[in-house]
Amino acid sequence: MEWTAGAVIRPKNWPSCYPLVHHDIANDIPLHLQRIQYVAYAILLGVPISLFWNVLLSIAVFARGAAGVFVFFSIIYFFLGPMGAFYFWYRPLYRAFR
């Protein structure tokens, strides 16, 4: 933890393969809110899994004769959905609980 002009700069540690943001539920979040934050984190990790399943099923529906636009939109949503989920609901929740 560094101090710069009165502001605390926390080291970036998440995701572990390429750290982009600081994420430490055990030390940042008060004890009575940690369970809610862990559930939100589990949901955030489930978003890409469910969107990948959506891509697979839309490909299967396309193979049976439906319009190909479903595959196109499911692929776009697969790439943009997890980032949007992080920035639009998980990060504000994390910051509010911190």
Side-chain angles (χ1 to χ4, degrees):
M1 185 173 2
E2 295 180 33
W3 289 85
T4 305
V8 177
I9 299 175
R10 295 182 171 92
K12 296 175 180 178
N13 62 355
W14 189 84
S16 60
C17 58
Y18 186 73
L20 297 172
V21 295
H22 176 78
H23 187 263
D24 189 8
I25 294 173
N27 293 325
D28 287 345
I29 308 298
L31 189 61
H32 67 283
L33 296 172
Q34 283 183 6
R35 180 169 169 81
I36 299 170
Q37 191 66 39
Y38 278 119
V39 169
Y41 183 62
I43 292 170
L44 179 70
L45 293 180
V47 166
I49 295 167
S50 64
L51 292 177
F52 181 70
W53 183 250
N54 183 30
V55 169
L56 292 178
L57 291 179
S58 65
I59 290 172
V61 168
F62 174 68
R64 299 218 40 180
V69 71
F70 298 123
V71 176
F72 176 71
F73 283 121
S74 66
I75 291 172
I76 288 176
Y77 194 38
F78 174 70
F79 287 114
L80 297 179
M83 291 182 285
F86 179 78
Y87 284 107
F88 293 128
W89 72 265
Y90 183 77
R91 189 174 67 163
L93 182 72
Y94 186 87
R95 287 183 176 176
F97 283 172
R98 187 176 58 184

XYZ file of all heavy atoms in Angstrom:
811
model
N 0.852 -1.165 0.000
C 0.000 0.000 0.000
C 0.900 1.231 0.000
O 1.775 1.363 0.836
C -0.900 -0.033 1.229
C -1.884 1.054 1.259
S -3.150 1.036 2.566
C -2.843 -0.348 3.568
N 0.692 2.118 -0.941
C 1.455 3.349 -1.045
C 0.576 4.548 -0.705
O -0.623 4.521 -0.885
C 1.958 3.549 -2.483
C 2.950 2.524 -2.939
C 3.379 2.814 -4.362
O 3.436 3.999 -4.737
O 3.652 1.861 -5.076
N 1.222 5.580 -0.205
C 0.538 6.840 0.054
C 1.049 7.865 -0.943
O 2.238 8.106 -1.054
C 0.813 7.331 1.469
C 0.144 6.500 2.500
C 0.599 5.349 3.060
C -1.123 6.745 3.080
N -0.301 4.850 3.952
C -1.374 5.701 4.003
C -2.081 7.730 2.924
C -2.526 5.624 4.739
C -3.216 7.656 3.667
C -3.440 6.614 4.565
N 0.144 8.465 -1.681
C 0.501 9.497 -2.633
C -0.414 10.690 -2.431
O -1.607 10.600 -2.712
C 0.370 8.975 -4.073
O 1.150 7.785 -4.194
C 0.843 9.988 -5.078
N 0.137 11.781 -1.916
C -0.621 13.013 -1.690
C -1.881 12.767 -0.870
O -2.942 13.302 -1.160
C -0.965 13.687 -3.010
N -1.780 11.917 0.123
C -2.910 11.654 1.002
C -3.865 10.585 0.508
O -4.826 10.268 1.172
N -3.628 10.033 -0.672
C -4.500 8.990 -1.217
C -3.788 7.642 -1.116
O -2.595 7.536 -1.350
C -4.842 9.277 -2.669
N -4.545 6.624 -0.771
C -3.991 5.281 -0.678
C -4.083 4.616 -2.047
O -5.151 4.545 -2.641
C -4.756 4.442 0.365
C -4.216 3.031 0.399
C -4.677 5.089 1.725
N -2.952 4.128 -2.548
C -2.926 3.397 -3.811
C -2.688 1.934 -3.479
O -1.632 1.562 -2.985
C -1.834 3.932 -4.751
C -2.095 5.395 -5.078
C -1.773 3.085 -6.020
C -1.020 6.036 -5.907
N -3.685 1.113 -3.734
C -3.581 -0.313 -3.436
C -3.005 -1.043 -4.645
O -3.346 -0.709 -5.784
C -4.951 -0.869 -3.081
C -5.493 -0.265 -1.803
C -6.829 -0.894 -1.458
N -7.254 -0.487 -0.145
C -8.027 0.559 0.105
N -8.454 1.301 -0.892
N -8.368 0.859 1.335
N -2.153 -2.032 -4.406
C -1.564 -2.753 -5.548
C -2.627 -3.571 -6.301
O -3.533 -4.134 -5.708
C -0.538 -3.673 -4.887
C -1.010 -3.837 -3.481
C -1.696 -2.548 -3.126
N -2.485 -3.605 -7.594
C -3.424 -4.356 -8.429
C -3.107 -5.843 -8.311
O -1.954 -6.247 -8.419
C -3.323 -3.890 -9.873
C -3.730 -2.439 -10.030
C -3.530 -1.942 -11.420
C -3.964 -0.493 -11.472
N -3.766 0.120 -12.760
N -4.138 -6.670 -8.075
C -3.895 -8.093 -7.854
C -4.931 -9.011 -8.501
O -4.901 -10.205 -8.268
C -3.841 -8.376 -6.348
C -5.130 -8.055 -5.647
O -6.063 -7.531 -6.239
N -5.193 -8.365 -4.368
N -5.856 -8.473 -9.313
C -6.886 -9.334 -9.903
C -7.114 -8.959 -11.348
O -7.203 -7.765 -11.637
C -8.194 -9.186 -9.129
C -9.230 -10.165 -9.516
C -9.376 -11.438 -9.057
C -10.279 -9.971 -10.464
N -10.447 -12.034 -9.655
C -11.017 -11.159 -10.523
C -10.662 -8.924 -11.285
C -12.100 -11.316 -11.358
C -11.739 -9.069 -12.116
C -12.461 -10.266 -12.144
N -7.229 -9.855 -12.253
C -7.011 -11.296 -12.179
C -5.525 -11.609 -12.042
O -4.677 -10.799 -12.403
C -7.575 -11.828 -13.488
C -7.522 -10.680 -14.435
C -7.646 -9.439 -13.600
N -5.231 -12.776 -11.544
C -3.843 -13.105 -11.229
C -2.957 -13.217 -12.470
O -1.762 -12.966 -12.397
C -3.785 -14.398 -10.423
O -4.360 -15.454 -11.162
N -3.533 -13.558 -13.621
C -2.722 -13.696 -14.838
C -2.269 -12.331 -15.378
O -1.183 -12.215 -15.925
C -3.482 -14.472 -15.900
S -5.053 -13.723 -16.340
N -3.073 -11.302 -15.228
C -2.743 -9.955 -15.687
C -3.479 -8.964 -14.789
O -4.609 -8.572 -15.082
C -3.163 -9.767 -17.146
C -2.734 -8.450 -17.736
C -1.408 -8.202 -18.050
C -3.662 -7.447 -17.959
C -1.017 -6.994 -18.577
C -3.288 -6.232 -18.489
C -1.952 -6.012 -18.800
O -1.565 -4.807 -19.319
N -2.846 -8.557 -13.674
C -3.550 -7.710 -12.693
C -4.025 -6.381 -13.281
O -3.256 -5.630 -13.859
C -2.498 -7.483 -11.616
C -1.518 -8.583 -11.784
C -1.509 -8.919 -13.242
N -5.321 -6.133 -13.133
C -5.922 -4.893 -13.626
C -6.502 -4.042 -12.508
O -6.491 -2.815 -12.598
C -7.038 -5.218 -14.630
C -6.614 -5.925 -15.906
C -7.827 -6.341 -16.706
C -5.720 -5.035 -16.726
N -7.047 -4.665 -11.475
C -7.698 -3.941 -10.391
C -7.299 -4.545 -9.048
O -6.829 -5.679 -8.976
C -9.238 -3.962 -10.525
C -9.695 -3.236 -11.755
C -9.761 -5.368 -10.504
N -7.512 -3.792 -7.994
C -7.293 -4.295 -6.643
C -8.566 -5.002 -6.184
O -9.658 -4.447 -6.260
C -6.956 -3.152 -5.689
C -6.811 -3.611 -4.276
N -5.685 -4.252 -3.829
C -7.641 -3.536 -3.224
C -5.832 -4.555 -2.552
N -7.027 -4.120 -2.161
N -8.399 -6.241 -5.720
C -9.555 -7.031 -5.290
C -9.145 -7.887 -4.107
O -8.367 -8.827 -4.261
C -10.038 -7.911 -6.448
C -11.300 -8.634 -6.158
N -11.329 -9.920 -5.719
C -12.595 -8.228 -6.243
C -12.582 -10.288 -5.537
N -13.368 -9.283 -5.857
N -9.633 -7.551 -2.921
C -9.290 -8.299 -1.711
C -10.475 -8.222 -0.753
O -10.549 -7.334 0.091
C -8.024 -7.717 -1.073
C -7.493 -8.574 0.044
O -8.008 -9.696 0.236
O -6.552 -8.133 0.722
N -11.400 -9.160 -0.896
C -12.634 -9.132 -0.109
C -12.338 -9.279 1.380
O -12.914 -8.574 2.210
C -13.602 -10.232 -0.587
C -14.058 -9.935 -2.011
C -14.812 -10.332 0.339
C -14.884 -11.018 -2.644
N -11.414 -10.159 1.737
C -11.146 -10.447 3.149
C -10.608 -9.235 3.901
O -10.892 -9.067 5.092
C -10.169 -11.608 3.264
N -9.857 -8.368 3.235
C -9.267 -7.221 3.928
C -9.989 -5.902 3.676
O -9.872 -4.979 4.474
C -7.797 -7.071 3.530
C -6.963 -8.217 4.042
O -7.213 -8.748 5.120
N -5.975 -8.623 3.265
N -10.704 -5.793 2.563
C -11.357 -4.522 2.226
C -12.796 -4.416 2.718
O -13.263 -3.328 3.034
C -11.359 -4.312 0.711
C -9.988 -3.964 0.172
O -9.105 -3.614 0.971
O -9.806 -4.049 -1.056
N -13.504 -5.519 2.741
C -14.935 -5.507 3.033
C -15.164 -5.817 4.507
O -14.544 -6.736 5.048
C -15.668 -6.560 2.156
C -15.314 -6.390 0.679
C -17.170 -6.500 2.370
C -15.707 -5.074 0.072
N -16.041 -5.068 5.191
C -16.362 -5.385 6.593
C -16.923 -6.799 6.729
O -17.541 -7.329 5.805
C -17.415 -4.341 6.966
C -17.245 -3.244 5.996
C -16.731 -3.864 4.740
N -16.711 -7.378 7.882
C -17.038 -8.778 8.119
C -18.514 -9.091 7.869
O -18.844 -10.128 7.296
C -16.649 -9.159 9.545
C -16.713 -10.627 9.888
C -15.769 -11.417 9.005
C -16.380 -10.843 11.341
N -19.414 -8.193 8.274
C -20.842 -8.479 8.120
C -21.321 -8.386 6.668
O -22.430 -8.806 6.357
C -21.670 -7.561 9.028
C -21.610 -6.113 8.631
N -20.523 -5.299 8.907
C -22.502 -5.339 7.997
C -20.749 -4.087 8.454
N -21.955 -4.079 7.895
N -20.505 -7.865 5.749
C -20.882 -7.769 4.335
C -20.103 -8.734 3.444
O -20.381 -8.825 2.247
C -20.643 -6.345 3.828
C -21.498 -5.256 4.475
C -21.035 -3.886 4.030
C -22.950 -5.463 4.155
N -19.156 -9.469 4.020
C -18.303 -10.332 3.195
C -19.078 -11.448 2.520
O -18.803 -11.789 1.371
C -17.165 -10.912 4.032
C -16.070 -9.933 4.303
C -14.930 -10.544 5.066
O -14.897 -11.737 5.318
N -13.977 -9.704 5.448
N -20.047 -12.029 3.210
C -20.807 -13.133 2.605
C -21.557 -12.663 1.353
O -21.561 -13.350 0.330
C -21.779 -13.720 3.618
C -22.593 -14.862 3.061
C -23.355 -15.581 4.162
N -24.328 -16.503 3.646
C -24.060 -17.728 3.220
N -22.820 -18.161 3.241
N -25.017 -18.511 2.766
N -22.165 -11.497 1.429
C -22.878 -10.951 0.269
C -21.896 -10.705 -0.873
O -22.188 -11.001 -2.036
C -23.614 -9.652 0.649
C -24.646 -9.922 1.732
C -24.259 -9.016 -0.572
C -25.243 -8.673 2.326
N -20.721 -10.179 -0.548
C -19.730 -9.891 -1.585
C -19.187 -11.171 -2.209
O -18.953 -11.222 -3.410
C -18.582 -9.062 -1.002
C -17.662 -8.495 -2.052
C -18.350 -7.475 -2.926
O -19.143 -6.676 -2.457
N -18.054 -7.504 -4.201
N -18.995 -12.224 -1.407
C -18.552 -13.498 -1.974
C -19.612 -14.103 -2.891
O -19.279 -14.690 -3.922
C -18.184 -14.489 -0.861
C -16.793 -14.281 -0.304
C -16.601 -13.974 1.027
C -15.676 -14.409 -1.118
C -15.332 -13.785 1.536
C -14.404 -14.222 -0.624
C -14.238 -13.912 0.708
O -12.973 -13.722 1.204
N -20.872 -13.955 -2.550
C -21.948 -14.443 -3.423
C -21.955 -13.647 -4.729
O -22.088 -14.220 -5.820
C -23.314 -14.374 -2.709
C -24.450 -14.625 -3.681
C -23.360 -15.357 -1.561
N -21.782 -12.337 -4.642
C -21.724 -11.508 -5.848
C -20.521 -11.884 -6.703
O -20.608 -11.917 -7.938
C -21.666 -10.030 -5.464
N -19.401 -12.205 -6.071
C -18.206 -12.623 -6.805
C -18.448 -13.962 -7.515
O -18.044 -14.137 -8.663
C -17.030 -12.723 -5.843
C -15.722 -13.084 -6.495
C -15.145 -12.244 -7.448
C -15.052 -14.244 -6.172
C -13.948 -12.572 -8.051
C -13.849 -14.576 -6.758
C -13.302 -13.734 -7.698
O -12.116 -14.063 -8.298
N -19.123 -14.877 -6.855
C -19.448 -16.166 -7.475
C -20.375 -15.963 -8.675
O -20.213 -16.626 -9.714
C -20.085 -17.100 -6.460
N -21.321 -15.053 -8.549
C -22.212 -14.752 -9.678
C -21.422 -14.132 -10.822
O -21.622 -14.472 -11.992
C -23.360 -13.832 -9.220
C -24.287 -14.585 -8.273
C -24.128 -13.286 -10.413
C -25.302 -13.708 -7.590
N -20.488 -13.236 -10.490
C -19.651 -12.618 -11.523
C -18.831 -13.668 -12.260
O -18.674 -13.591 -13.482
C -18.721 -11.576 -10.903
C -17.777 -10.881 -11.881
C -18.567 -9.964 -12.798
C -16.707 -10.118 -11.140
N -18.319 -14.669 -11.551
C -17.558 -15.731 -12.205
C -18.464 -16.664 -13.001
O -18.008 -17.322 -13.943
C -16.769 -16.529 -11.164
C -15.652 -15.756 -10.464
C -14.957 -16.651 -9.459
C -14.664 -15.183 -11.455
N -19.737 -16.727 -12.669
C -20.678 -17.562 -13.412
C -21.194 -16.924 -14.683
O -21.717 -17.629 -15.559
N -21.064 -15.617 -14.815
C -21.562 -14.923 -16.002
C -20.896 -15.433 -17.281
O -21.595 -15.771 -18.247
C -21.431 -13.392 -15.843
C -21.609 -12.667 -17.161
C -22.421 -12.875 -14.822
N -19.561 -15.511 -17.370
C -18.964 -16.018 -18.614
C -19.333 -17.470 -18.910
O -19.477 -17.847 -20.079
C -17.449 -15.902 -18.395
C -17.273 -15.040 -17.228
C -18.530 -15.065 -16.439
N -19.507 -18.266 -17.881
C -19.889 -19.663 -18.083
C -21.277 -19.744 -18.719
O -21.498 -20.469 -19.686
C -19.832 -20.436 -16.750
C -18.394 -20.495 -16.253
C -20.420 -21.823 -16.892
C -18.256 -20.943 -14.821
N -22.211 -18.975 -18.173
C -23.568 -19.006 -18.727
C -23.621 -18.396 -20.126
O -24.372 -18.864 -20.984
C -24.534 -18.286 -17.792
O -24.206 -16.912 -17.704
N -22.808 -17.378 -20.390
C -22.804 -16.792 -21.727
C -22.146 -17.719 -22.748
O -22.539 -17.737 -23.922
C -22.113 -15.432 -21.712
C -22.871 -14.344 -20.951
C -22.076 -13.053 -20.931
C -24.234 -14.122 -21.535
N -21.160 -18.495 -22.321
C -20.570 -19.495 -23.219
C -21.598 -20.574 -23.549
O -21.702 -21.018 -24.693
C -19.316 -20.109 -22.595
C -18.650 -21.116 -23.475
C -18.003 -20.717 -24.627
C -18.680 -22.456 -23.164
C -17.390 -21.643 -25.468
C -18.081 -23.397 -23.977
C -17.426 -22.990 -25.131
N -22.367 -20.979 -22.567
C -23.445 -21.949 -22.798
C -24.480 -21.358 -23.771
O -25.012 -22.069 -24.629
C -24.079 -22.323 -21.465
C -25.135 -23.360 -21.560
C -26.471 -23.187 -21.378
C -24.967 -24.733 -21.888
N -27.136 -24.372 -21.562
C -26.228 -25.339 -21.870
C -23.862 -25.525 -22.183
C -26.428 -26.680 -22.151
C -24.064 -26.866 -22.463
C -25.325 -27.426 -22.435
N -24.731 -20.087 -23.661
C -25.642 -19.404 -24.565
C -25.117 -19.458 -26.005
O -25.887 -19.688 -26.951
C -25.842 -17.957 -24.119
C -26.830 -17.205 -24.968
O -27.759 -17.780 -25.511
N -26.627 -15.898 -25.084
N -23.800 -19.259 -26.179
C -23.210 -19.336 -27.518
C -23.370 -20.744 -28.087
O -23.764 -20.917 -29.242
C -21.719 -18.919 -27.480
C -21.030 -19.241 -28.798
C -21.573 -17.454 -27.167
N -23.076 -21.748 -27.281
C -23.198 -23.128 -27.755
C -24.630 -23.459 -28.163
O -24.859 -24.082 -29.214
C -22.720 -24.101 -26.675
C -21.227 -24.084 -26.361
C -20.916 -25.066 -25.253
C -20.408 -24.364 -27.602
N -25.584 -23.052 -27.355
C -26.980 -23.350 -27.675
C -27.473 -22.560 -28.887
O -28.269 -23.065 -29.676
C -27.867 -23.085 -26.470
C -27.680 -24.063 -25.312
C -28.591 -23.703 -24.165
C -27.918 -25.480 -25.764
N -26.992 -21.336 -29.048
C -27.411 -20.571 -30.223
C -26.823 -21.178 -31.495
O -27.459 -21.152 -32.551
C -27.028 -19.099 -30.083
O -25.630 -18.958 -30.054
N -25.613 -21.747 -31.409
C -25.048 -22.457 -32.563
C -25.874 -23.705 -32.867
O -26.136 -24.023 -34.037
C -23.562 -22.794 -32.305
C -22.734 -21.520 -32.314
C -23.040 -23.776 -33.345
C -21.304 -21.705 -31.875
N -26.304 -24.406 -31.817
C -27.131 -25.593 -32.019
C -28.473 -25.226 -32.653
O -28.963 -25.923 -33.550
C -27.349 -26.310 -30.693
N -29.073 -24.134 -32.227
C -30.349 -23.690 -32.811
C -30.135 -23.262 -34.263
O -30.964 -23.539 -35.134
C -30.953 -22.549 -31.955
C -32.101 -21.878 -32.665
C -31.383 -23.081 -30.614
N -29.013 -22.617 -34.536
C -28.700 -22.212 -35.912
C -28.522 -23.437 -36.805
O -28.946 -23.429 -37.964
C -27.438 -21.350 -35.929
C -26.963 -21.003 -37.302
C -27.703 -20.157 -38.112
C -25.770 -21.511 -37.790
C -27.272 -19.833 -39.386
C -25.327 -21.193 -39.057
C -26.079 -20.347 -39.859
N -27.920 -24.483 -36.278
C -27.716 -25.706 -37.058
C -29.043 -26.387 -37.399
O -29.132 -27.116 -38.379
C -26.814 -26.668 -36.295
N -30.067 -26.124 -36.610
C -31.385 -26.732 -36.863
C -32.253 -25.876 -37.781
O -33.395 -26.220 -38.049
C -32.109 -26.952 -35.546
C -31.281 -27.896 -34.685
C -31.976 -28.847 -33.908
N -33.107 -29.468 -34.552
C -33.855 -30.361 -33.977
N -33.575 -30.720 -32.743
N -34.868 -30.902 -34.592
N -31.729 -24.712 -38.208
C -32.451 -23.942 -39.212
C -32.923 -22.569 -38.784
O -33.679 -21.942 -39.509
N -32.509 -22.065 -37.650
C -32.941 -20.733 -37.220
C -32.032 -19.664 -37.843
O -31.042 -19.964 -38.493
C -32.897 -20.634 -35.703
N -32.372 -18.410 -37.602
C -31.605 -17.301 -38.161
C -30.227 -17.211 -37.502
O -30.068 -17.476 -36.317
C -32.372 -16.000 -37.948
N -29.242 -16.809 -38.292
C -27.871 -16.711 -37.794
C -27.603 -15.504 -36.935
O -26.547 -15.401 -36.313
N -28.545 -14.586 -36.879
C -28.346 -13.387 -36.065
C -28.249 -13.726 -34.576
O -27.585 -13.029 -33.828
C -29.454 -12.346 -36.360
C -30.780 -12.797 -35.795
C -29.077 -10.986 -35.846
N -28.867 -14.823 -34.174
C -28.782 -15.240 -32.771
C -27.350 -15.586 -32.386
O -26.887 -15.258 -31.302
C -29.698 -16.438 -32.495
C -31.147 -16.157 -32.720
C -31.877 -16.923 -33.610
C -31.777 -15.122 -32.060
C -33.211 -16.660 -33.828
C -33.119 -14.851 -32.273
C -33.841 -15.616 -33.160
N -26.635 -16.251 -33.283
C -25.242 -16.607 -33.026
C -24.399 -15.345 -32.939
O -23.559 -15.198 -32.050
C -24.700 -17.556 -34.116
C -23.234 -17.856 -33.899
C -25.511 -18.824 -34.181
N -24.630 -14.419 -33.856
C -23.882 -13.164 -33.877
C -24.044 -12.398 -32.565
O -23.052 -11.992 -31.949
C -24.358 -12.316 -35.062
C -23.734 -10.961 -35.137
C -22.405 -10.812 -35.492
C -24.491 -9.834 -34.850
C -21.829 -9.554 -35.561
C -23.925 -8.579 -34.921
C -22.587 -8.435 -35.277
N -25.265 -12.227 -32.123
C -25.497 -11.471 -30.891
C -25.020 -12.218 -29.650
O -24.558 -11.598 -28.694
C -26.970 -11.096 -30.756
C -27.357 -9.945 -31.638
C -28.344 -10.102 -32.590
C -26.722 -8.724 -31.533
C -28.701 -9.053 -33.411
C -27.066 -7.667 -32.347
C -28.053 -7.827 -33.291
N -25.120 -13.542 -29.649
C -24.645 -14.279 -28.479
C -23.120 -14.211 -28.366
O -22.583 -14.163 -27.262
C -25.123 -15.721 -28.519
O -24.536 -16.420 -29.591
N -22.412 -14.181 -29.485
C -20.952 -14.045 -29.447
C -20.556 -12.656 -28.968
O -19.642 -12.506 -28.148
C -20.343 -14.372 -30.822
C -20.492 -15.868 -31.102
C -18.879 -13.960 -30.895
C -20.109 -16.280 -32.498
N -21.238 -11.639 -29.461
C -20.956 -10.274 -28.992
C -21.219 -10.156 -27.492
O -20.413 -9.580 -26.744
C -21.798 -9.247 -29.778
C -21.275 -9.127 -31.200
C -21.781 -7.885 -29.093
C -22.080 -8.227 -32.079
N -22.330 -10.712 -27.055
C -22.675 -10.658 -25.634
C -21.683 -11.454 -24.795
O -21.361 -11.079 -23.678
C -24.096 -11.173 -25.439
C -24.687 -10.873 -24.085
C -24.450 -9.675 -23.434
C -25.498 -11.800 -23.449
C -24.989 -9.409 -22.202
C -26.044 -11.549 -22.214
C -25.781 -10.343 -21.595
O -26.312 -10.097 -20.361
N -21.144 -12.550 -25.343
C -20.146 -13.351 -24.629
C -18.879 -12.535 -24.366
O -18.265 -12.654 -23.307
C -19.806 -14.614 -25.425
C -18.697 -15.420 -24.834
C -18.874 -16.118 -23.653
C -17.462 -15.487 -25.456
C -17.849 -16.866 -23.100
C -16.438 -16.238 -24.915
C -16.633 -16.923 -23.734
N -18.480 -11.698 -25.322
C -17.266 -10.906 -25.138
C -17.501 -9.629 -24.332
O -16.630 -9.205 -23.566
C -16.642 -10.562 -26.490
C -15.983 -11.744 -27.137
C -16.489 -12.273 -28.304
C -14.881 -12.345 -26.564
C -15.894 -13.368 -28.896
C -14.282 -13.443 -27.132
C -14.790 -13.964 -28.313
N -18.652 -9.012 -24.472
C -18.901 -7.739 -23.786
C -19.631 -7.895 -22.457
O -19.531 -7.024 -21.590
C -19.702 -6.805 -24.694
C -19.007 -6.395 -25.984
C -19.916 -5.487 -26.799
C -17.688 -5.721 -25.703
N -20.360 -8.985 -22.277
C -21.158 -9.179 -21.071
C -20.367 -9.247 -19.769
O -20.705 -8.556 -18.809
N -19.306 -10.068 -19.694
C -18.549 -10.126 -18.439
C -17.888 -8.804 -18.055
O -17.869 -8.429 -16.885
C -17.498 -11.209 -18.704
C -18.119 -12.081 -19.727
C -18.912 -11.155 -20.600
N -17.374 -8.087 -19.047
C -16.773 -6.780 -18.745
C -17.839 -5.795 -18.268
O -17.620 -5.030 -17.337
C -16.065 -6.230 -19.975
C -14.827 -6.998 -20.338
S -13.975 -6.318 -21.753
C -15.052 -6.844 -23.082
N -18.978 -5.819 -18.921
C -20.077 -4.948 -18.500
C -20.577 -5.306 -17.118
O -20.882 -4.421 -16.313
N -20.666 -6.597 -16.816
C -21.100 -7.015 -15.484
C -20.125 -6.538 -14.421
O -20.527 -6.086 -13.349
C -21.234 -8.537 -15.426
N -18.839 -6.611 -14.721
C -17.846 -6.153 -13.746
C -17.940 -4.648 -13.519
O -17.997 -4.187 -12.385
C -16.431 -6.528 -14.204
C -15.370 -6.057 -13.249
C -15.133 -6.757 -12.084
C -14.640 -4.918 -13.498
C -14.173 -6.334 -11.185
C -13.677 -4.481 -12.616
C -13.441 -5.196 -11.458
N -17.962 -3.890 -14.603
C -17.923 -2.434 -14.463
C -19.252 -1.803 -14.069
O -19.269 -0.747 -13.456
C -17.407 -1.783 -15.749
C -15.921 -1.929 -15.878
C -15.367 -2.806 -16.782
C -15.060 -1.209 -15.061
C -14.004 -2.960 -16.883
C -13.694 -1.352 -15.148
C -13.171 -2.230 -16.056
O -11.824 -2.378 -16.139
N -20.376 -2.434 -14.409
C -21.656 -1.793 -14.141
C -22.361 -2.263 -12.888
O -23.214 -1.553 -12.376
C -22.600 -1.943 -15.339
C -22.136 -1.181 -16.537
C -22.026 -1.801 -17.766
C -21.804 0.154 -16.441
C -21.587 -1.106 -18.878
C -21.361 0.859 -17.539
C -21.252 0.234 -18.757
N -22.047 -3.460 -12.348
C -22.704 -3.835 -11.101
C -21.760 -4.404 -10.059
O -21.969 -4.193 -8.871
C -23.901 -4.757 -11.330
C -23.610 -6.156 -11.746
C -23.584 -6.638 -12.993
C -23.309 -7.269 -10.890
N -23.273 -7.968 -12.977
C -23.105 -8.390 -11.710
C -23.195 -7.426 -9.511
C -22.794 -9.628 -11.200
C -22.884 -8.675 -9.007
C -22.689 -9.759 -9.849
N -20.689 -5.120 -10.450
C -19.830 -5.698 -9.417
C -18.911 -4.645 -8.802
O -18.776 -4.560 -7.590
C -19.002 -6.858 -9.979
C -18.166 -7.508 -8.899
C -18.748 -8.371 -7.987
C -16.820 -7.229 -8.753
C -18.015 -8.941 -6.970
C -16.075 -7.791 -7.744
C -16.672 -8.650 -6.861
O -15.946 -9.204 -5.846
N -18.258 -3.842 -9.611
C -17.343 -2.824 -9.084
C -18.066 -1.790 -8.223
O -17.580 -1.453 -7.145
C -16.586 -2.170 -10.222
C -15.467 -1.259 -9.730
C -14.635 -0.741 -10.859
N -15.418 0.160 -11.683
C -14.894 1.006 -12.545
N -13.603 1.039 -12.714
N -15.654 1.802 -13.237
N -19.231 -1.280 -8.632
C -19.934 -0.356 -7.730
C -20.359 -1.018 -6.408
O -20.306 -0.379 -5.361
C -21.156 0.083 -8.541
C -20.770 -0.100 -9.952
C -19.862 -1.283 -9.968
N -20.755 -2.286 -6.465
C -21.105 -3.001 -5.232
C -19.880 -3.153 -4.331
O -19.962 -2.918 -3.121
C -21.700 -4.363 -5.573
C -22.157 -5.207 -4.386
C -23.428 -4.605 -3.798
C -22.386 -6.629 -4.817
N -18.753 -3.520 -4.904
C -17.516 -3.673 -4.149
C -17.118 -2.351 -3.492
O -16.745 -2.298 -2.328
C -16.410 -4.183 -5.074
C -15.115 -4.521 -4.375
C -14.926 -5.772 -3.834
C -14.074 -3.593 -4.280
C -13.748 -6.105 -3.199
C -12.905 -3.914 -3.651
C -12.736 -5.165 -3.116
O -11.569 -5.482 -2.487
N -17.181 -1.291 -4.259
C -16.804 0.030 -3.717
C -17.776 0.507 -2.642
O -17.386 1.144 -1.670
C -16.723 1.052 -4.846
C -15.517 0.843 -5.712
C -15.414 1.898 -6.771
N -14.196 1.727 -7.533
C -13.885 2.454 -8.570
N -14.722 3.402 -8.991
N -12.771 2.235 -9.220
N -19.052 0.200 -2.807
C -20.035 0.603 -1.800
C -19.824 -0.155 -0.489
O -19.943 0.430 0.588
C -21.455 0.360 -2.309
N -19.494 -1.439 -0.584
C -19.272 -2.221 0.629
C -17.940 -1.870 1.282
O -17.780 -2.019 2.485
C -19.294 -3.716 0.324
C -20.677 -4.248 0.129
C -20.874 -5.533 -0.321
C -21.812 -3.477 0.389
C -22.135 -6.049 -0.500
C -23.074 -3.972 0.213
C -23.241 -5.258 -0.226
N -16.969 -1.419 0.504
C -15.672 -1.047 1.063
C -15.810 0.213 1.888
O -15.285 0.414 2.899
C -14.657 -0.866 -0.058
C -13.248 -0.650 0.426
C -12.284 -0.580 -0.685
N -12.685 0.499 -1.577
C -12.084 0.773 -2.691
N -11.088 0.049 -3.093
N -12.482 1.741 -3.454
